[in-house]
Amino acid sequence: MIAEAGLAALWLAAALALLQLVLAGLGLWMGRGARSTNNVRPELVEGRPSASTGVSLDGSGSPSTSSGQTDGSERAATAAQLIAGVRPVAIVQGLLAALSFVLLILLFIRSDMSVVLVAQNSHSAKPLMYKIAGAWGNHEGSMLLWVTVLAIAGGAIAIIERRLNEATLVATMAAQAAIALGFYAFLLIASNPFARLNPAASEGAGLNPLLQDPGLAFHPPTLYFGYVGLSVAFSFAVGALVMRDVGPAFARAMRPWVLGAWIFLTIGITAGSYWAYYELGWGGWWFWDPVENASLMPWLAATALLHSVTVLATRDGLRSWTIMLAVVAFSMSMIGTFLVRSGILTSVHAFAVDPSRGSFILALLILYIGGALVLFGWRIGSVKQGSTFELVSREGGLIFNNLLLSVILGIVLIGTLYPIVAQAMGTQLSVGPPFFNKTTAPIALLLMLGMAVGPMIRWRRDEGKELIGRMAAPIAVALAGLVAVFVIAPDTAILPLLGLGFAFGLAVASVAPLWKRNLRRTPLFTYGMVVAHLGVAVSVAGMASEAAFTQEKLVAVRVGQVTQVGPYSVVLEGIKPAVGPNWSALEGRLRVQRGDAAPFIMGPQSRFFSAPPTVTSEAAIETVFDGQLYTVLGQPDGEGRWQLRLWWKPFVTLIWLGGMLIGLGGLLSLIGRVVRERRIPNRMAAA
Amino acid sequence: MKAKHQRLLLAGLGLVAVMGASGLALSALQDEAAFFYAPADVAGKPPPVGRAVRLGGMVAAGSIKPQPDGVSINFVVTDGKATVPVRFSGIAPDLFKEDSGVVAEGMFQPDGSFTATNLLAKHDERYMPPEMAGKMAAAETLEP
């Protein structure tokens, strides 16, 4: 019964999404000529003075006879009724989608093997957490999660958003419903998560053991929150385009969603990187895997959008560019979904290989992105020019940042899609890390330079000479850092060397905006920027340090034999069996000592899972203040020796610490913005 | 600066950035796109010695030879048309076995052999690199 109830809830939610789209569309259409008799808000008529365009809101084109006015007010009343229905429908739609997803989780908790999805992806002997995570650790479940988050976000907009003008909001919710409809159709037609299995299986096939890790259980939802947040930003952009309402008010309404999405993406990518690092046992933290790129591309677009939406919200500049970026950011999350879910590429992360699903998502992709681009091309000409500024200004710096981010995004996109295009033309090839490292690293360094300078430039216009004076301290620190690293380790390669120098400089430059300021009166979002930029410096320092100073030892050792790696001496004391809830393992007992400090024990394992039968390596990692010791147990060689792989990675933890700082900076900004918007009520209506 | 000029300048900058990105990406692609090789691809003209590439194919039956140092193995990668001897030092993945697909990351040596720094076997029963799937299908249809 639970599965049927879940499916019914899903159908109802889909029907409500359709209703939401129809109500909003009809309401806006009927209200278009009559709005002048309604309450006219100044920003509504700001669009374009002439009535020659189809959806003019000022009503100047309609005849002003008395009967016309009566018709107009009746139409306005109907339109208002229709529009009034949109919010409740959106809220109920969100609740129903959530109900459906909760029911799916319930099926997984009960291990109901009469449901295809559960039988294929779960096992009754699995720990409860992984039964729950199994609900989204597969194609159908993850798509249901996608649409659930989208619907809940729609409901949240309906409840929270009171400041944007009503017409723009309704158009936004219509766009939101249109996106949701596509995914409901995808689920109901091509990927029903509640399909029954007859006869029921006696036992499930289990979850891929690589996915049985707390980090990975919560990794996909985190990324999805990010993707969906960008879809909301996209809906805002569409709504603003439809209503010709591109301005600071719209940017302020959109900004929290962009910030929220960006925070989730940042955390998701950071956590995913750390997961790959310790779970795969390869000692690497970024592989330029297409699926990694699929999450990096929306992040790059969201980062650019985050900065340009700030220009729009505070200085009313970069109007069309911001709209364009919102379209691009959502396109990137759709392309990400397409790459991962279509089976067009197979990677560590990709799930189902099913061309029909791939074409369905591709069709949605073309429909949404194509539709948005057409709307963009048609309407953008009517978006008025925002305020202007000199090139040497904060705005100019942000444009520099946006261009560089777009360039990196373009390179990653080309590198990721090129093999697919080549394959379509009959050539098999693949693009790997050498390409991405070579192309993105120099631009990333340039971007760091921009990040250091940007926050020190004034809005609107600034003097180049004064700016150089303000930059003196960071430049000095960067040079000192470069020289110091060169003296300590003259063999360092050029990129890590530059990376470390730039990181030192950026760290100083990031906190410079707080210099000589009253720290208690500095707004929270300024702290957010400082922390996020500092996070980038910390992260880059970690990457450069890992690349330059990692030491690796690969040995076959007998029990009692000593190996040196970095500052550590490692002794294999023995091999013993170990057991877990659904695995058994061989565990190496390593006695590790650093200098004269007290020795400690590390236990890397080779784990065997029975359902499905798989062997995985569990690295043992010792984290200390100046780095990590990373140990992997390999196979016996048949002569009493065991393979051991040992890495000493100085300051590698800074990579993820920096990622967390970046996310924290985003969170501070979000809180700061929300608090400030609350404190200044109705600033938009007055604008 | 007038608004019109500014817009023109921005559009120009954007254009330069896009062209720069494409140029950079395409020139790098010329060098690095040939990242994946099957043994038959290198039989005629091996890639330059010292460039990091991937070699994919099947592990030839009976070819895995553990070396005395305990951490290296020698084996032969084949695609049915040609073979490449590979030396790998490291912990082989658990699904690495004879008559099974493998992708080796590393560099070709002057003598035409391959030194692998990393081995990718299939990650689970559903995983095979797409390049592999294509090459294997081609190899199977060509076998007598």
Side-chain angles (χ1 to χ4, degrees):
Chain A
M1 276 313 287
I2 298 176
E4 284 68 30
L7 190 59
L10 197 58
W11 272 106
L12 273 176
L16 285 182
L18 184 62
L19 180 63
Q20 184 179 333
L21 181 62
V22 170
L23 279 179
L26 264 182
L28 288 175
W29 183 71
M30 289 191 68
R32 61 186 179 149
R35 196 59 59 88
S36 58
T37 54
N38 214 340
N39 53 337
V40 180
R41 299 189 202 183
E43 66 270 24
L44 273 179
V45 291
E46 196 184 78
R48 201 184 222 186
S50 87
S52 59
T53 50
V55 207
S56 166
L57 286 168
D58 60 10
S60 63
S62 56
S64 58
T65 59
S66 59
S67 68
Q69 268 178 6
T70 323
D71 281 356
S73 62
E74 271 174 21
R75 281 182 62 146
T78 321
Q81 281 176 340
L82 289 174
I83 283 176
V86 174
R87 282 182 196 252
V89 167
I91 295 168
V92 178
Q93 186 212 325
L95 290 176
L96 279 170
L99 173 68
S100 166
F101 188 62
V102 168
L103 289 175
L104 183 69
I105 292 179
L106 199 60
L107 288 172
F108 271 84
I109 291 177
R110 294 164 55 117
S111 295
D112 187 341
M113 297 302 169
S114 70
V115 175
V116 178
L117 195 64
V118 181
Q120 282 175 352
N121 296 285
S122 195
H123 191 279
S124 58
K126 237 170 26 170
L128 179 64
M129 183 170 80
Y130 299 124
K131 285 184 184 168
I132 297 174
W136 59 74
N138 58 75
H139 168 81
E140 287 85 350
S142 63
M143 293 316 292
L144 181 59
L145 175 65
W146 211 107
V147 80
T148 299
V149 180
L150 187 71
I152 292 177
I157 300 173
I159 296 171
I160 304 166
E161 189 57 59
R162 297 278 165 205
R163 304 158 68 87
L164 197 60
N165 91 61
E166 190 73 13
T168 308
L169 182 69
V170 168
T172 300
M173 313 244 321
Q176 189 80 5
I179 298 172
L181 257 182
F183 282 91
Y184 283 126
F186 179 58
L187 273 169
L188 292 169
I189 297 168
S191 325
N192 176 12
F194 297 103
R196 287 283 190 188
L197 184 65
N198 194 10
S202 58
E203 192 45 273
L207 179 70
N208 181 348
L210 278 178
L211 304 184
Q212 294 195 27
D213 178 270
L216 200 70
F218 297 99
H219 172 61
T222 314
L223 282 181
Y224 279 19
F225 285 130
Y227 284 176
V228 171
L230 288 180
S231 81
V232 175
F234 171 83
S235 296
F236 271 107
V238 170
L241 268 182
V242 169
M243 295 283 89
R244 291 198 168 81
D245 186 24
V246 182
F250 141 78
R252 281 189 213 108
M254 180 165 100
R255 179 162 55 188
W257 293 95
V258 180
L259 256 173
W262 183 80
I263 294 166
F264 277 113
L265 285 175
T266 306
I267 296 173
I269 292 172
T270 307
S273 158
Y274 191 65
W275 166 77
Y277 169 78
Y278 76 72
E279 180 69 31
L280 292 179
W282 297 348
W285 53 274
W286 190 261
F287 298 99
W288 292 108
D289 181 289
V291 177
E292 288 176 335
N293 295 348
S295 67
L296 179 66
M297 290 189 289
W299 184 86
L300 288 168
T303 310
L305 177 60
L306 190 63
H307 290 90
S308 83
V309 82
T310 296
V311 176
L312 183 54
T314 56
R315 315 299 306 186
D316 195 16
L318 301 185
R319 288 181 169 190
S320 28
W321 175 246
T322 303
I323 295 280
M324 188 67 207
L325 271 183
V327 173
V328 168
F330 175 64
S331 307
M332 289 305 144
S333 61
M334 283 291 291
I335 287 175
T337 312
F338 168 66
L339 287 179
V340 181
R341 293 286 165 266
S342 63
I344 199 166
L345 51 87
T346 322
S347 87
V348 189
H349 310 63
F351 296 127
V353 179
D354 183 344
S356 74
R357 285 170 180 169
S359 12
F360 205 121
I361 300 186
L362 188 61
L364 287 182
L365 185 89
I366 293 168
L367 184 71
Y368 293 146
I369 301 172
L373 287 178
V374 167
L375 185 70
F376 182 83
W378 174 40
R379 281 297 174 85
I380 203 66
S382 68
V383 171
K384 282 205 302 183
Q385 171 77 23
S387 52
T388 58
F389 49 86
E390 296 291 319
L391 262 191
V392 182
S393 65
R394 181 75 71 82
E395 290 95 326
L398 287 169
I399 286 177
F400 181 72
N401 137 314
N402 266 239
L403 285 177
L404 290 181
L405 282 168
S406 306
V407 168
I408 298 178
L409 173 60
I411 287 173
V412 177
L413 186 68
I414 291 174
T416 310
L417 294 185
Y418 189 72
I420 298 173
V421 176
Q423 188 174 14
M425 299 191 187
T427 325
Q428 285 276 353
L429 56 82
S430 79
V431 178
F435 164 80
F436 290 106
N437 289 337
K438 202 171 172 179
T439 48
T440 56
I443 306 172
L445 286 178
L446 213 55
L447 189 62
M448 285 178 77
L449 197 66
M451 286 176 64
V453 181
M456 296 197 203
I457 321 177
R458 296 201 180 91
W459 290 103
R460 292 196 75 90
R461 63 173 301 170
D462 206 335
E463 295 300 324
K465 280 181 200 158
E466 288 180 30
L467 188 59
I468 291 168
R470 271 171 261 160
M471 286 306 294
I475 291 173
V477 171
L479 287 177
L482 272 179
V483 172
V485 175
F486 192 73
V487 169
I488 297 168
D491 299 338
T492 312
I494 183 73
L495 270 179
L497 184 68
L498 286 177
L500 279 170
F502 276 54
F504 290 136
L506 178 58
V508 173
S510 316
V511 291
L514 295 178
W515 184 250
K516 287 182 183 167
R517 272 183 88 146
N518 182 337
L519 291 182
R520 288 176 62 187
R521 293 189 61 189
T522 305
L524 201 52
F525 49 78
T526 304
Y527 281 108
M529 178 191 74
V530 167
V531 171
H533 284 193
L534 190 62
V536 174
V538 168
S539 223
V540 172
M543 295 170 194
S545 175
E546 198 265 353
F549 308 126
T550 292
Q551 294 184 40
E552 182 182 0
K553 262 290 169 53
L554 176 70
V555 286
V557 289
R558 292 178 203 285
V559 171
Q561 208 170 326
V562 184
T563 312
Q564 289 288 339
V565 58
Y568 288 95
S569 60
V570 179
V571 183
L572 178 66
E573 288 205 323
I575 303 282
K576 59 171 189 181
V579 286
N582 55 344
W583 49 264
S584 58
L586 284 177
E587 184 175 310
R589 195 179 145 86
L590 302 178
R591 206 166 69 96
V592 183
Q593 190 166 19
R594 181 176 188 167
D596 297 329
F600 55 92
I601 299 295
M602 292 175 74
Q605 295 177 339
S606 185
R607 278 189 192 170
F608 176 74
F609 289 79
S610 54
T614 318
V615 183
T616 67
S617 274
E618 284 295 305
I621 300 173
E622 178 72 14
T623 307
V624 286
F625 76 99
D626 60 344
Q628 283 189 329
L629 179 65
Y630 188 117
T631 63
V632 183
L633 178 69
Q635 285 124 7
D637 74 342
E639 297 167 28
R641 292 188 296 183
W642 290 80
Q643 292 180 335
L644 272 184
R645 193 161 198 172
L646 312 170
W647 276 286
W648 165 241
K649 294 175 174 289
F651 298 107
V652 65
T653 33
L654 292 184
I655 297 175
W656 306 290
L657 179 68
M660 287 300 146
L661 279 178
I662 298 172
L664 175 68
L667 192 63
L668 291 179
S669 292
L670 182 61
I671 296 170
R673 292 293 178 197
V674 170
V675 167
R676 168 161 290 205
E677 302 278 308
R678 283 267 159 78
R679 206 179 291 159
I680 311 168
N682 288 330
R683 187 169 54 174
M684 275 163 230
Chain B
M1 202 185 297
K2 278 198 190 124
K4 194 178 163 193
H5 291 147
Q6 193 179 7
R7 248 196 287 188
L8 271 176
L9 184 70
L10 287 184
L13 278 179
L15 203 65
V16 169
V18 168
M19 278 165 46
S22 320
L24 194 63
L26 290 178
S27 77
L29 273 178
Q30 295 232 308
D31 293 344
E32 310 285 357
F35 180 58
F36 187 94
Y37 292 88
D41 297 337
V42 292
K45 40 178 176 40
V49 171
R51 188 205 292 163
V53 292
R54 283 184 178 171
L55 172 73
M58 299 292 261
V59 181
S63 74
I64 300 182
K65 301 266 191 307
Q67 298 300 300
D69 67 356
V71 291
S72 300
I73 48 173
N74 289 0
F75 60 96
V76 173
V77 170
T78 175
D79 59 356
K81 286 176 276 186
T83 59
V84 175
V86 178
R87 182 185 180 87
F88 168 69
S89 297
I91 296 172
D94 308 297
L95 289 159
F96 172 76
K97 51 180 186 276
E98 293 178 349
D99 266 336
S100 184
V102 68
V103 175
E105 290 183 338
M107 293 167 186
F108 281 96
Q109 302 301 316
D111 64 358
S113 71
F114 190 83
T115 305
T117 52
N118 204 358
L119 290 187
L120 315 171
K122 34 182 217 165
H123 277 81
D124 62 32
E125 68 281 6
R126 280 179 276 184
Y127 174 74
M128 180 178 266
E131 305 92 345
M132 278 292 303
K135 304 266 179 190
M136 296 325 301
E140 271 163 32
T141 46
L142 283 175
E143 269 172 35

